[in-house]
Every structure is written in structure tokens, then in C-alpha cells.
Amino acid sequence: YGPRDLLPTLLSIYKQSYTNFECIIVDDGSLYEYYSNLRQIVASLDNRFKVIRYSVNRGAGYARQQGINSSTGRIIFFIDSDDFWLENYLDKVIRIHRDYPNHPIVSTSHNYSGIKNSTKVNNRSSIVIYNAYQLVIRHRMSTPSTSIKRAYLKYEFSNGMIYSEDLLFFFSNLIVSKKPYLIYCNIPLVVLNRSPGSIGGLSSSRSQMYSSAAYVYMKLIGLVPLRYQLLSLLLFIKSVYCKFRSMKS
């Protein structure tokens, strides 16, 4: 994406009702012309925004990890270059983190661009707690709507993965924590710039995505405690099944 494509995303961060944040923008090997224009856009905002860049494209996992390494906050958020947050996203999610201080990850519902009333927010809070086994059905951790406390980071993003690196990152850190429960807010506070059911960004191939997910769960079998190895095996089987279904469709 060019720098102007990032502007709606950056403005959605800039306009947050919660203001005590830092925003690390990772330029993953774009043309220098794009980088120069991006710096001009960031300079027009304020000193909460910072750009880091490397000349060679190294993938989403590497970029996200560099963002984490360059940040200082106690709660880490992620957002893709074409999505955006509603104005009260940070405020509401930080409040949830404070209400559940011993749980590592908070995720929220999301909507999709181009859908009527997709940005409408219900002010009534609705919190659901999912254990690791319930996440087999649906992991509910979309990267732009998921945040993690720095104190609970045990595993980094994998540098060599093209697909599902976020899945491995979130599941690895969730399952090895003392309270492996996802705190989920049913209020849609994030808008994804794609259609429901579609696969955006790097995960443009369903078959490749499921293959990568199968790899993730196979790897988790060797990382997680014994009581969660069965869970990882079930997730692996589910991914293989989804891969073969996608190949037939």
C-alpha cells in the first residue's frame, strides 16, 4: 500500500478517545519514495507516531515483532494497514484489561467495511470468557482487534512464516499462561476492510492458509503443557480437514 492508503488507518488511531499511547508504524521494505511520503504524513500528526523501516521485505511476522521490540507500552495492540478502529476502541479495551489483570489477551468483535451500520456501537458491554478448548470451534483472535499484555509475552512472532504467524503467536502465549482464557468483547470496535468470509492480506489462498494453520498446531504440540497437547492435536486435525474441503470447493 502507498502512504495515502494508510491515512484512514492512522487517523483512526490519532482520533482515539484514549490518548496515552504510542504508535509504531513498520515499513516492511517499501520503495523509498513511499517511505519519504509516509514520514511526511506521520510528521503532520504528533510525536506519539514513529516510523521504523528496513529496506528488504521480511513479512508480517517479522514486522510485527519489530514493532513490539520498538514499543514501550504495557499492552500491545496490532492493526493492519487497511483496517481501522472506532474512536473508543483503545479506551474500552484498556478498561477490560484492567478489569481482568491476570488474563493475557483481550479480543473484540469486528465489522466489515461497505456494510450498512457496520460502525454502529452498542454501549452496553458484553464480555464472554472462552477457555482454550472452546477456541477450537472459533479462535476469535483477529489481529487488528486483539491485544496482549507485555508481561505475558513468552513467544515471539515467527520470522519464517508467511501465513498464520499471528495464530501461532496468540495461541502460544495464551496456552502457556497461568490463565489460558480469552476475554472477548462482543461489541464491534474494529472495521476490517474486506468482505465477511473473505481472506484478506497475505492469507489470500484458503488452501495455503489451512496448511499453515496445520503447521501451527503441529508446532504447538511440542510447546504446550501436556494437558493442552490434545487440544493442539484436535486443532491440527481440524485444519487438515478444512484444507481438503477448500481444495474440493
Side-chain angles (χ1 to χ4, degrees), residues 43-107:
S44 70
L45 300 173
D46 57 45
N47 59 10
R48 294 175 298 176
F49 293 80
K50 172 185 175 182
V51 181
I52 59 175
R53 178 182 185 267
Y54 35 90
S55 58
V56 179
N57 181 281
R58 301 191 181 185
Y62 183 88
R64 286 171 180 147
Q65 189 58 50
Q66 294 310 302
I68 292 173
N69 296 344
S70 300
S71 67
T72 60
R74 289 178 292 179
I75 303 174
I76 299 167
F77 297 79
F78 305 92
I79 187 168
D80 293 334
S81 58
D82 55 346
D83 301 324
F84 64 91
W85 294 335
L86 301 191
E87 289 185 8
N88 61 341
Y89 171 71
L90 287 180
D91 181 69
K92 184 165 286 292
V93 172
I94 288 171
R95 290 175 185 270
I96 296 172
H97 272 289
R98 289 172 179 168
D99 289 341
Y100 297 89
N102 298 318
H103 293 76
I105 296 177
V106 173
S107 188

Side-chain angles (χ1 to χ4, degrees), residues 7-74:
L7 190 56
T9 300
L10 294 178
L11 288 178
S12 80
I13 301 171
Y14 180 78
K15 294 178 180 179
Q16 288 296 301
S17 58
Y18 182 91
T19 59
N20 185 24
F21 65 83
E22 60 178 347
C23 177
I24 311 296
I25 304 157
V26 183
D27 184 334
D28 186 20
S30 72
L31 296 175
Y32 185 80
E33 177 186 357
Y34 286 166
Y35 171 61
S36 179
N37 292 335
L38 175 60
R39 289 185 62 185
Q40 292 179 19
I41 291 174
V42 171
S44 70
L45 300 173
D46 57 45
N47 59 10
R48 294 175 298 176
F49 293 80
K50 172 185 175 182
V51 181
I52 59 175
R53 178 182 185 267
Y54 35 90
S55 58
V56 179
N57 181 281
R58 301 191 181 185
Y62 183 88
R64 286 171 180 147
Q65 189 58 50
Q66 294 310 302
I68 292 173
N69 296 344
S70 300
S71 67
T72 60
R74 289 178 292 179

Side-chain angles (χ1 to χ4, degrees):
Y1 298 97
R4 296 294 171 185
D5 299 313
L6 290 173
L7 190 56
T9 300
L10 294 178
L11 288 178
S12 80
I13 301 171
Y14 180 78
K15 294 178 180 179
Q16 288 296 301
S17 58
Y18 182 91
T19 59
N20 185 24
F21 65 83
E22 60 178 347
C23 177
I24 311 296
I25 304 157
V26 183
D27 184 334
D28 186 20
S30 72
L31 296 175
Y32 185 80
E33 177 186 357
Y34 286 166
Y35 171 61
S36 179
N37 292 335
L38 175 60
R39 289 185 62 185
Q40 292 179 19
I41 291 174
V42 171
S44 70
L45 300 173
D46 57 45
N47 59 10
R48 294 175 298 176
F49 293 80
K50 172 185 175 182
V51 181
I52 59 175
R53 178 182 185 267
Y54 35 90
S55 58
V56 179
N57 181 281
R58 301 191 181 185
Y62 183 88
R64 286 171 180 147
Q65 189 58 50
Q66 294 310 302
I68 292 173
N69 296 344
S70 300
S71 67
T72 60
R74 289 178 292 179
I75 303 174
I76 299 167
F77 297 79
F78 305 92
I79 187 168
D80 293 334
S81 58
D82 55 346
D83 301 324
F84 64 91
W85 294 335
L86 301 191
E87 289 185 8
N88 61 341
Y89 171 71
L90 287 180
D91 181 69
K92 184 165 286 292
V93 172
I94 288 171
R95 290 175 185 270
I96 296 172
H97 272 289
R98 289 172 179 168
D99 289 341
Y100 297 89
N102 298 318
H103 293 76
I105 296 177
V106 173
S107 188
T108 77
S109 179
H110 55 261
N111 274 318
Y112 298 90
S113 61
I115 298 177
K116 187 177 180 180
N117 296 324
S118 63
T119 61
K120 185 177 181 180
V121 177
N122 185 344
N123 290 324
R124 295 176 61 186
S125 178
S126 180
I127 301 297
V128 182
I129 300 177
Y130 292 99
N131 64 39
Y133 286 95
Q134 289 172 313
L135 295 177
V136 173
I137 308 276
R138 184 180 180 186
H139 65 76
R140 297 181 182 274
M141 290 184 286
S142 173
T143 306
S145 58
T146 301
S147 55
I148 183 170
K149 296 180 180 71
R150 183 184 295 275
Y152 287 90
L153 287 177
K154 303 296 182 183
Y155 293 98
E156 296 185 349
F157 278 97
S158 175
N159 293 343
M161 293 182 65
I162 299 176
Y163 300 101
S164 299
E165 73 290 330
D166 48 354
L167 193 64
L168 178 60
F169 173 79
F170 288 129
F171 260 109
S172 298
N173 286 291
L174 180 71
I175 293 178
V176 299
S177 66
K178 292 182 179 179
K179 289 196 173 183
Y181 300 94
L182 173 70
I183 308 302
Y184 185 78
C185 174
N186 274 323
I187 300 174
L189 297 169
V190 176
V191 178
L192 307 183
N193 189 25
R194 63 190 71 111
S195 301
S198 67
I199 302 176
L202 290 174
S203 300
S204 57
S205 166
R206 288 188 181 274
S207 178
Q208 289 180 314
M209 185 188 71
Y210 290 129
S211 293
S212 188
Y215 167 78
V216 166
Y217 298 129
M218 183 175 66
K219 189 169 183 178
L220 281 177
I221 294 173
L223 293 177
V224 300
L226 182 62
R227 65 184 183 277
Y228 290 118
Q229 288 183 5
L230 176 59
L231 168 65
S232 299
L233 179 60
L234 291 174
L235 287 165
F236 169 75
I237 294 171
K238 176 187 174 184
S239 298
V240 172
Y241 170 74
C242 290
K243 171 181 170 60
F244 282 106
R245 284 195 61 185
S246 69
M247 292 172 65
K248 291 182 179 179
S249 61

